[in-house]
Amino acid sequence: GQSLEQPSEVTAVEGAIVQINCTYQTSGFYGLSWYQQHDGGAPTFLSYNALDGLEETGRFSSFLSRSDSYGYLLLQELQMKDSASYFCAVPNTGGFKTIFGAGTRLFVKA
Amino acid sequence: GAVVSQHPSWVICKSGTSVKIECRSLDFQATTMFWYRQFPKQSLMLMATSNEGSKATYEQGVEKDKFLINHASLTLSTLTVTSAHPEDSSFYICSASGTGDYGYTFGSGTRLTVV
């Protein structure tokens, strides 16, 4: 089966950099995705890594190490609006369904 | 980009009644849609996979007779919560994959409250 582990909560100050880690266990690997969800809202897709290395998209970057079954989401120049839950996700065996981690609640303080 | 429209955004119903939630892909055809349930401060739990033209595939532990899924066309999937009970109160979200996208596009979600 598949399982993902990520911290339940992270707190950081405005303007800082924060890293949210995710370790996964899958019987086949089809990439690691990240989603952001604000309270009361739907998840929005942030990034996807299929190969090792860092993918940068503006203030957000995502990293993957397939040999370590590990990835992280890096948020730079934190803003108050970044306060949300962040989920890592992997496709299941066969790559058809998406399985989500438990989510990391990020609190950005002034 | 791909847009998924979900209605209603919130609904309150009496215990024992049924509620239908619609999910539409607005600018693409979705042969497959996914239905999730999310309790407060928890992750998204996949309930079922909705396939156009065939029966839905339910995850283990999800009652197919209680959560009826119909994928009537390439752009519409519906979830009906039958004989709703207070414990069914949750946030229900659909998602679909747009053409060429790696990520899934989610509907805006439906907050169901059963009283």
Side-chain angles (χ1 to χ4, degrees):
Chain A
Q2 291 79 32
S3 66
L4 302 104
E5 286 193 21
Q6 52 182 129
S8 58
E9 267 185 30
V10 173
T11 301
V13 297
E14 226 177 345
I17 299 173
V18 71
Q19 178 174 313
I20 300 174
N21 300 319
C22 174
T23 56
Y24 59 86
Q25 189 170 13
T26 62
S27 51
F29 184 71
Y30 302 89
L32 180 71
S33 299
W34 288 92
Y35 290 82
Q36 178 193 59
Q37 184 182 32
H38 286 97
D39 285 345
T44 55
F45 172 74
L46 290 178
S47 67
Y48 170 77
N49 294 67
L51 302 176
D52 293 347
L54 191 68
E55 295 279 346
E56 298 182 63
T57 308
R59 295 188 298 114
F60 294 3
S61 302
S62 57
F63 172 83
L64 175 67
S65 169
R66 288 175 294 172
S67 61
D68 296 322
S69 296
Y70 162 77
Y72 64 72
L73 180 69
L74 191 72
L75 298 85
Q76 303 182 71
E77 300 174 19
L78 279 176
Q79 301 175 9
M80 298 296 287
K81 67 178 182 180
D82 298 329
S83 294
S85 291
Y86 293 85
F87 296 89
C88 55
V90 292
N92 70 328
T93 302
F96 189 61
K97 299 182 290 189
T98 298
I99 307 300
F100 289 83
T104 299
R105 288 182 66 85
L106 171 64
F107 298 95
V108 180
K109 296 185 174 181
Chain B
V3 177
V4 174
S5 175
Q6 184 173 346
H7 295 280
S9 54
W10 61 269
V11 58
I12 300 173
C13 71
K14 291 185 177 180
S15 189
T17 62
S18 296
V19 172
K20 179 185 283 188
I21 302 169
E22 290 191 352
C23 184
R24 295 180 183 269
S25 56
L26 295 187
D27 50 1
F28 66 100
Q29 294 182 334
T31 56
T32 302
M33 289 189 180
F34 303 91
W35 287 95
Y36 292 85
R37 178 167 56 183
Q38 185 179 33
F39 292 106
K41 298 185 180 181
Q42 294 189 22
S43 187
L44 293 90
M45 299 304 296
L46 181 64
M47 299 175 64
T49 302
S50 170
N51 304 298
E52 189 271 337
S54 64
K55 292 182 179 180
T57 304
Y58 291 82
E59 295 300 300
Q60 193 172 7
V62 178
E63 300 175 58
K64 62 180 181 181
D65 294 330
K66 179 170 184 62
F67 299 98
L68 301 180
I69 290 173
N70 184 291
H71 202 135
S73 72
L74 286 171
T75 59
L76 174 64
S77 176
T78 61
L79 167 68
T80 301
V81 183
T82 63
S83 187
H85 291 286
E87 57 264 32
D88 298 325
S89 298
S90 186
F91 192 50
Y92 293 87
I93 317 174
C94 63
S95 76
S97 178
T99 303
D101 290 337
Y102 286 123
Y104 288 84
T105 301
F106 285 83
S108 53
T110 298
R111 186 158 303 283
L112 170 64
T113 302
V114 184
V115 297

